Amino acid sequence: MKQFIVDTFTEKVFKGNPAAVCLPDRLLTDELMLAIANENNLSETAFIVKDRDKYILRSFTPEEEVDFCGHATFAAAYIVFLILEREEDTIYFETKSGTLPVTRKGDIYNVDLPAFELEKISVTDEMVEAVGARPKEAYMGRDLLLVMEDDFDLTGYEPDILKIKTLDGTMLHLTKAGDGEYDCFSRSFAPKLGVDEDPVCGSGHCHISVYWAQKLNKPDILAYQVSRRGGILDTHVAPGHVNLSGHAVMFYRGDIHI
């Protein structure tokens, strides 16, 4: 079975967020897909199988399946456009969160993802203890979003993974205001999914960009994730949707022998 590793939200290998993309000739069992994702030990492994005019897309962390994943969808689209649909400019993925369209214009890819509604919640002592600083605000969607003070050292922050794992929400996202070049900075952590830090999180920006679009009163948010790998997300927020645009590059192609 062919497998590829694609670095997403970047134009350079070793940057952005890597995802594995597998091309089985038919859907595999959940147990086998999870075993392959665990063996890869990347934040996501995507499996794609053509079904008439769409592609079934399944995304797995090393520990469980997720309904959808932004960077895995980007990686899967990159491979489909590169190998399977060279003449197409739009493809559709059927996921557990519904149909996700992906378009390309040159070497820029755009995926339309569902936005998460954010509920403002109280900042708790547990949040302060887990992060080591008091957030300005806290919001809950699928994930927990903590808005940090402008002087918080987000780049140098050393996460306490065990404490983060006790917080509510599927993932934890820390964000703060940008520097003028970017509208916001962020980092994302998912120890409950077997991923200590997600280097550049597409679904996370279905929370982060929603917040900053409301805060800055504009739909277009240019975000930079300040993980060690780093990555840029050009986002557009519309009612119920977040459009993510960016680049992707291939790092590896090979075969899985099962």
Side-chain angles (χ1 to χ4, degrees), residues 46-253:
F47 299 85
I48 50 177
V49 176
K50 190 164 188 179
D51 180 23
R52 296 184 293 275
D53 58 343
K54 297 179 182 178
Y55 285 87
I56 298 171
L57 172 62
R58 303 280 297 274
S59 299
F60 288 78
T61 76
E63 292 194 0
E64 64 181 72
E65 184 176 10
V66 296
D67 288 347
F68 77 95
C69 170
H71 85 279
T73 304
F74 251 71
Y78 176 90
I79 295 302
V80 171
F81 283 128
L82 180 71
I83 297 174
L84 303 175
E85 305 286 353
R86 290 176 173 267
E87 304 302 319
E88 297 296 326
D89 293 321
T90 302
I91 57 175
Y92 298 90
F93 288 120
E94 193 64 39
T95 76
K96 291 195 170 183
S97 289
T99 303
L100 303 180
V102 184
T103 60
R104 68 171 170 179
K105 188 174 183 180
D107 60 353
I108 299 177
Y109 300 85
N110 179 280
V111 59
D112 184 20
L113 298 176
F116 290 99
E117 293 187 12
L118 300 180
E119 177 187 359
K120 190 170 185 178
I121 60 176
S122 299
V123 173
T124 65
D125 292 339
E126 289 76 14
M127 296 175 192
V128 176
E129 185 176 352
V131 177
R134 178 165 289 276
K136 289 198 298 185
E137 298 175 283
Y139 293 85
M140 184 63 70
R142 179 199 68 180
D143 307 333
L144 176 62
L145 174 66
L146 299 182
V147 183
M148 308 306 295
E149 299 286 354
D150 292 350
D151 61 355
F152 180 75
D153 183 10
L154 192 57
T155 304
Y157 168 65
E158 294 289 342
D160 187 326
I161 296 301
L162 292 179
K163 290 181 180 178
I164 288 174
K165 199 170 184 178
T166 66
L167 298 176
D168 291 337
T170 301
M171 299 179 65
L172 168 67
H173 309 290
L174 303 182
T175 189
K176 72 174 190 176
D179 59 358
E181 180 180 6
Y182 299 103
D183 293 305
C184 63
F185 298 119
S186 64
R187 287 177 68 183
S188 299
F189 308 95
K192 294 177 183 177
L193 301 177
V195 180
D196 286 353
E197 180 166 7
D198 197 20
V200 191
C201 187
S203 65
H205 281 79
C206 295
H207 302 73
I208 297 165
S209 292
V210 169
Y211 169 82
W212 287 108
Q214 295 172 351
K215 185 73 172 179
L216 300 177
N217 194 30
K218 63 176 189 176
D220 297 314
I221 300 297
L222 185 61
Y224 188 79
Q225 196 135 9
V226 295
S227 64
R228 180 179 58 82
R229 294 178 63 99
I232 300 170
L233 303 97
D234 194 349
T235 70
H236 176 82
V237 179
H241 298 267
V242 175
N243 289 290
L244 298 181
S245 296
H247 296 83
V249 292
M250 188 188 300
F251 166 68
Y252 161 89
R253 70 168 74 200

